[in-house]
Amino acid sequence: MIEELLRKRLIFVAGKGGVGKSTVAAALALLGARRGLRVLVVEVDGKGDVAAMLGLRDTSFTPHLAAPNLWVMEMDTEAALAEYLRIYVKVPFISKFPGLGKIFDFVSTAAPGVREILVVGKLCYEVRQDRYDLIVVDPPASGHVVSQLGVAGDVGELIQLGLVKNQTEWMLKILEDPQQSVALLVATPEETPVEEALELADRIRVETPVHLEGAVVNRRFDGALAGVEREVVDEIRKYRDLVAGLTEVVGASDLFARICRRHDRNLAVLREQLGHAINVATIGEYFGIFEPHELVGEVAEVLEVELW
Amino acid sequence: MTNLLENLLDRERVFVVGSGGVGKTTLSAALAIKAAIERPLNVLVVTVDPAKRLAGTLGVAALANTPREVELAGLGAKGQLWAASVDMKSAWDDLVKQFSPDGETADRILASPIYHNLSAKFIGSYDYAAVQVLAALTADDRYDLVIVDTPPSRNALDFLDAPARLREFFSSPLLALLTLPRRTRLFSAATRPFYLVADLVLGSAFLTDLTDFFSDFAKLAPGLVEQSRSFSELLTVPATGFVAVAAPYGPSVDEAHRLLEALRARNLSAVAFIVNRSLPSWFFTPDAQAAREWLTNEAPDILASVLVDNAKAAAAVLRVTSELVFTHEQFARARGRELIDALRDVGIDLFEVPIAEPDLDSPEALAALITSAVGVQPSKQSQDTAAHGPR
């Protein structure tokens, strides 16, 4: 059922910092590209994580090709503004005032929502331009994504006239159509990330027009020894005085089992509170076995199986 | 090697910094609890990361901008613990009221839809509000030690630059431009094209609202700028320290170095580096390696002969022994020794906080987390160099 997700045009990967949003965004994009879709991944916070994971050293506002069918771009509000002015404000004198972009940049800093609308506007513009089949967005940390996704509506309220007002109407149509735009929540199965993911889910539902499609729980400890296997472990424990180091090895397994139980419990809370309409996929912990760029390929394969 | 808590106690303010998901909030609370238990101090922990769970763990209904006392009943606490969190919206409201020249200006700002959006929803304003609340709390004489959990941001230290950005904003030509009398604006050759385009793009009504709003907002500048300046100064005084936190897996070695470098570049004093959620070091002895070999080579036969009566268990032997070996191997690889080795000799006190065994669901459990911190020794080589001293 991953097909259904990959048929969307715009996927916002949302979650708190450190849970693996960039990994999931990169993996999803790679999966789409491997299936022949033309995919654009957009890094909104400009850390370069997604680009690095996909083996690129540089990113810019102009998309770079990272793999067949897969482009990476870095959001840059100033460049987005310049592009916007070039496309929509066909005023010839703009180019004659090199300082104008700078002035606008600072209005976009000060005027509420202008910066956000430039970001979301650029994404929606790419959807409308139809150069890519799928756009995957790796936004900055939790709260910010809500501001960005909610901005079309907010700015619509604030700005009653002018070009921006007209812009928000078609943007809203793209953002609120669950066939075109969806948000995908990412969390880890620890208490705080789960709680914050649930809060974020509520905010996405209440404060943004974007449909929450599902969640990915990353770095899950899974597969603890159970049932008769525990009996065998107990038998092995009896040899601890004879075999030096056995206590350590069994101790590691016991710790693993305790963390697995904790993760299962937290995962159950997440599933229950998100409601059964929201699919939750899980990705295991890889224990630093892979370099980041190798990890993306692994995660892409897991998502292919796990994602509804 | 001093202990983790000792490192903090000669400071009045400690900022806990690091990238998202490394456990800053939990460690901040844990350090504060431990300090209040061990010392006769008035300790305040401020979380800038809005974490409801933390309030629950501390046993208070909700955290707010005004500190609340946290009960440490039954823990034999020598000191007192207070906790606060930064609520952005009310922080901004307070600032407007505090720094407006008069009540009318405050009312106009508070009623403006632009203010509403600016304060409640939009990026960047969070840091300013956080800084202002922290400025007030960290300057409060009632607390002997203030521990601050810093906000999640793209760069772990972004938020520390907020005071400078705020000052820059108030002194920027932007504000001058936006608050220029309309008549002057229309005749200024420099700003005319801007206003023409801005009218077209944003609509003139919005532009008027915006300039009106900023005319009022600019009146807050003297107070806000003054407070943010004293906060900036506070960050570099000897009584302020920074604790850096990282998690042991992933590409965190570079991140850790970047963080330390960023502190150094800002002239901020790092008092300790904590590698959080490390795995217990007793797991990884040479003996454990030998036991893994025993499990692989000898255990299956031995167990099979012992478990003949339990057919199910006998069938599970290979599965179990290989899982035990695999789990231990994975942990051994993930242990984050790389990170610890990379930081061992950078000249900062380094601590490992082991992954928590029980749930961190009470002040007691959080305090135990700090008790479990282990100091990491510099390598032998580096100790020798230190003993001889610099030339």
Side-chain angles (χ1 to χ4, degrees):
Chain A
M1 300 264 273
I2 179 86
E3 277 77 14
E4 205 176 306
L5 187 66
L6 293 177
R7 265 201 296 274
K8 312 290 179 193
R9 304 300 311 280
L10 195 50
I11 302 176
F12 293 92
V13 179
K16 75 172 238 155
V19 297
K21 280 193 301 292
S22 299
T23 310
V24 170
L28 208 54
L30 189 63
L31 197 57
R34 281 179 182 168
R35 291 172 168 231
L37 298 174
R38 291 162 304 160
V39 184
L40 176 69
V41 201
V42 182
E43 277 197 76
V44 177
D45 71 357
K47 273 206 304 196
D49 286 354
V50 173
M53 282 172 191
L54 293 171
L56 278 182
R57 245 186 303 170
D58 300 314
T59 47
S60 69
F61 191 66
T62 310
H64 283 46
L65 190 65
N69 287 325
L70 179 54
W71 287 265
V72 181
M73 74 162 273
E74 185 187 314
M75 187 54 75
D76 173 342
T77 43
E78 206 169 331
L81 177 68
E83 186 181 86
Y84 176 87
L85 291 176
R86 205 172 57 242
I87 297 164
Y88 294 105
V89 188
K90 299 181 179 69
V91 190
F93 61 71
I94 289 178
S95 57
K96 293 182 195 148
F97 290 89
L100 198 63
K102 214 174 163 193
I103 298 178
F104 253 105
D105 185 52
F106 81 17
V107 169
S108 72
T109 309
V114 171
R115 193 172 275 276
E116 288 75 17
I117 206 138
L118 283 169
V119 170
V120 179
K122 167 69 178 168
L123 299 170
C124 291
Y125 173 76
E126 288 299 337
V127 170
R128 204 165 67 160
Q129 285 302 98
D130 213 19
R131 280 182 290 218
Y132 304 97
D133 302 309
L134 173 65
I135 299 168
V136 181
V137 188
D138 180 25
S142 300
H144 295 178
V145 71
V146 174
S147 314
Q148 281 171 340
L149 296 182
V151 75
D154 293 336
V155 168
E157 280 167 30
L158 275 178
I159 306 176
Q160 299 298 336
L161 287 165
L163 209 50
V164 169
K165 172 65 183 166
N166 302 335
Q167 298 302 316
T168 59
E169 284 168 12
W170 68 264
M171 282 168 57
L172 267 176
K173 284 205 181 80
I174 292 175
L175 294 173
E176 64 195 9
D177 175 4
Q179 295 310 313
Q180 295 199 69
S181 312
V182 291
L184 191 64
L185 203 58
V186 182
T188 53
E190 296 289 343
E191 281 86 351
T192 310
V194 162
E195 185 172 318
E196 289 187 19
L198 288 168
E199 275 173 40
L200 182 58
D202 278 344
R203 293 193 62 195
I204 290 173
R205 285 163 167 160
V206 175
E207 299 174 35
T208 83
V210 180
H211 171 74
L212 181 64
E213 177 81 5
V216 175
V217 172
N218 193 20
R219 316 198 68 165
R220 177 195 186 188
F221 282 40
D222 191 21
L225 296 171
V228 72
E229 294 170 336
R230 297 305 311 174
E231 291 174 33
V232 180
V233 173
D234 289 337
E235 192 60 42
I236 291 172
R237 261 183 242 279
K238 292 179 185 162
Y239 294 82
R240 64 178 171 246
D241 294 334
L242 298 171
V243 181
L246 195 58
T247 307
E248 289 92 309
V249 177
V250 175
S253 175
D254 293 341
L255 174 68
F256 184 81
R258 283 194 294 274
I259 299 173
C260 285
R261 275 201 296 278
R262 188 163 82 208
H263 285 185
D264 285 351
R265 215 164 48 226
N266 292 331
L267 197 57
V269 170
L270 182 76
R271 284 205 163 104
E272 194 195 312
Q273 301 212 7
L274 277 180
H276 295 286
I278 305 281
N279 294 295
V280 179
T282 63
I283 300 169
E285 168 64 63
Y286 282 94
F287 294 99
I289 292 164
F290 298 106
E291 292 296 316
H293 67 275
E294 300 169 329
L295 183 66
V296 172
E298 290 294 319
V299 172
E301 282 175 25
V302 174
L303 285 180
E304 188 158 28
V305 181
E306 272 280 320
L307 275 176
W308 52 101
Chain B
M1 175 64 58
T2 53
N3 78 39
L4 178 49
L5 193 63
E6 293 293 330
N7 275 38
L8 314 181
L9 291 174
D10 57 347
R11 311 283 170 150
E12 290 166 27
R13 286 163 295 274
V14 174
F15 289 81
V16 178
V17 297
S19 51
V22 297
K24 290 191 294 289
T25 306
T26 305
L27 283 174
S28 302
L31 283 167
I33 292 167
K34 185 74 176 162
I37 291 176
E38 300 273 313
R39 297 298 163 107
L41 299 173
N42 236 347
V43 183
L44 170 65
V45 57
V46 190
T47 175
V48 182
D49 202 347
K52 275 190 206 151
R53 193 177 69 87
L54 182 66
T57 302
L58 294 174
V60 289
L63 294 172
N65 294 344
T66 310
R68 290 174 183 218
E69 186 166 7
V70 178
E71 289 292 328
L72 295 175
L75 297 178
K78 296 190 176 106
Q80 282 179 306
L81 178 64
W82 301 77
S85 79
V86 177
D87 172 58
M88 179 169 64
K89 179 73 175 89
S90 62
W92 268 114
D93 290 355
D94 291 347
L95 292 173
V96 170
K97 286 175 208 153
Q98 187 184 346
F99 294 125
S100 287
D102 53 70
E104 281 167 31
T105 310
D107 291 345
R108 268 203 310 276
I109 293 176
L110 292 175
S112 161
I114 292 173
Y115 168 75
H116 175 74
N117 278 277
L118 197 67
S119 61
K121 289 181 181 151
F122 292 102
I123 297 171
S125 57
Y126 190 90
D127 286 349
Y128 301 140
V131 162
Q132 299 297 332
V133 172
L134 288 179
L137 290 177
T138 53
D140 194 325
D141 290 340
R142 281 174 298 176
Y143 307 103
D144 305 303
L145 175 64
V146 181
I147 295 177
V148 179
D149 165 35
T150 57
S153 56
R154 141 180 171 179
N155 169 328
L157 297 178
D158 254 4
F159 124 96
L160 297 175
D161 299 331
R165 286 203 306 273
L166 186 71
R167 291 196 293 276
E168 212 172 87
F169 173 75
F170 277 119
S171 63
S172 69
L174 160 64
L175 205 60
L177 178 72
L178 284 176
T179 54
L180 215 58
R182 190 166 173 80
R183 206 167 47 84
T184 320
R185 225 188 286 150
L186 287 172
F187 289 102
S188 158
T191 61
R192 220 176 112 78
F194 166 73
Y195 273 93
L196 285 174
V197 177
D199 265 10
L200 192 62
V201 174
L202 300 170
S204 56
F206 178 65
L207 210 58
T208 305
D209 287 351
L210 196 64
T211 52
D212 287 349
F213 170 73
F214 279 107
S215 303
D216 278 334
F217 195 70
K219 293 177 192 159
L220 305 180
L224 283 174
V225 164
E226 178 49 37
Q227 199 170 52
S228 79
R229 194 186 307 280
S230 57
F231 184 70
S232 288
E233 281 164 13
L234 206 68
L235 293 177
T236 51
V237 299
T240 303
F242 289 78
V243 170
V245 184
Y249 338 112
S252 45
V253 171
D254 287 347
E255 244 171 64
H257 281 301
R258 275 203 298 273
L259 184 56
L260 285 175
E261 187 44 48
L263 287 171
R264 225 169 272 137
R266 286 171 177 80
N267 215 8
L268 304 173
S269 120
V271 294
F273 202 111
I274 300 176
V275 176
N276 194 20
R277 297 194 204 112
S278 77
L279 296 164
S281 50
W282 62 267
F283 279 4
F284 309 102
T285 57
D287 280 350
Q289 168 69 33
R292 274 181 0 211
E293 282 160 26
W294 178 81
L295 277 167
T296 309
N297 303 324
E298 293 169 47
D301 287 343
I302 298 173
L303 291 165
S305 63
V306 179
L307 293 167
V308 278
D309 294 340
N310 186 341
K312 270 191 184 171
V317 162
L318 273 181
R319 205 162 70 232
V320 172
T321 50
S322 63
E323 277 296 325
L324 286 177
V325 170
F326 181 66
T327 302
H328 191 268
E329 262 175 359
Q330 280 192 313
F331 272 163
R333 252 183 300 207
R335 207 179 150 221
R337 277 294 124 193
E338 268 177 47
L339 179 63
I340 285 162
D341 287 339
L343 294 170
R344 195 184 285 276
D345 294 328
V346 294
I348 180 169
D349 282 346
L350 179 63
F351 297 88
E352 284 180 70
V353 170
I355 191 161
E357 294 263 346
D359 287 344
L360 297 169
D361 57 358
S362 66
E364 210 166 351
L366 285 169
L369 193 66
I370 300 306
T371 311
S372 71
V374 183
V376 179
Q377 302 291 340
S379 61
K380 185 78 178 52
Q381 210 175 6
S382 148
Q383 277 176 336
D384 290 347
T385 321
H388 294 129
R391 281 166 200 274

